[in-house]
Amino acid sequence: MVSKPKQRGFHGQGRVLFLLSKHENISQRELASLAQIKPGSMTEILTRMERDGLITRQRDVSDKRVIHVRLTKAGTELAKENHQRHQWFCKTLFGTLSDEEKAELNRLILKIDQNIKNECLKNKEGENSHA
């Protein structure tokens, strides 16, 4: 039996850690856009992460409105731990499925996801037509 890695962090942080591990020295605005998190919420998340020593923020020298975000060594380590925890979770959840079953599950999830997106778009268009 594989032992479960210890969980650390708070809501929203995992996605931010993952994105920062893939995009070095990204601007705070770009990060919020990639994470699909409102700028104000991103500021809160980054403030906590900076307080916890997981990231650094630095103003751009040529454009003081731009703030660049980077992982610290502790942030990089936590991103690795999160990745290992994610791998453990996937192995635990899907480990008994065959490759064919995994492909079919993925196909069905994508179909459901597309249906949800279509319904949300219909609802949004309906709201706009009543305005």
Side-chain angles (χ1 to χ4, degrees), residues 29-89:
R29 183 175 304 224
E30 291 171 315
L31 182 59
S33 177
L34 277 175
Q36 297 180 336
I37 296 174
K38 292 178 183 175
S41 298
M42 179 59 73
T43 299
E44 284 183 41
I45 291 169
L46 294 178
T47 297
R48 284 183 280 177
M49 291 176 72
E50 191 171 38
R51 179 197 65 213
D52 293 343
L54 301 174
I55 62 149
T56 59
R57 290 188 278 188
Q58 187 172 17
R59 291 217 177 262
D60 188 288
V61 289
S62 60
D63 186 347
K64 298 293 182 193
R65 297 170 298 176
V66 177
I67 300 171
H68 293 280
V69 184
R70 312 184 93 140
L71 287 176
T72 62
K73 185 175 180 177
T76 301
E77 287 302 312
L78 184 54
K80 286 178 187 175
E81 288 174 21
N82 284 352
H83 179 71
Q84 289 171 346
R85 190 171 64 249
H86 177 76
Q87 285 182 315
W88 172 88
F89 177 77

Side-chain angles (χ1 to χ4, degrees), residues 8-47:
R8 288 178 33 200
F10 48 84
H11 185 70
Q13 176 180 297
R15 187 175 344 154
V16 172
L17 280 169
F18 171 76
L19 290 170
L20 285 171
S21 72
K22 300 296 178 197
H23 303 275
E24 259 188 57
N25 203 32
I26 190 171
S27 78
Q28 187 168 321
R29 183 175 304 224
E30 291 171 315
L31 182 59
S33 177
L34 277 175
Q36 297 180 336
I37 296 174
K38 292 178 183 175
S41 298
M42 179 59 73
T43 299
E44 284 183 41
I45 291 169
L46 294 178
T47 297

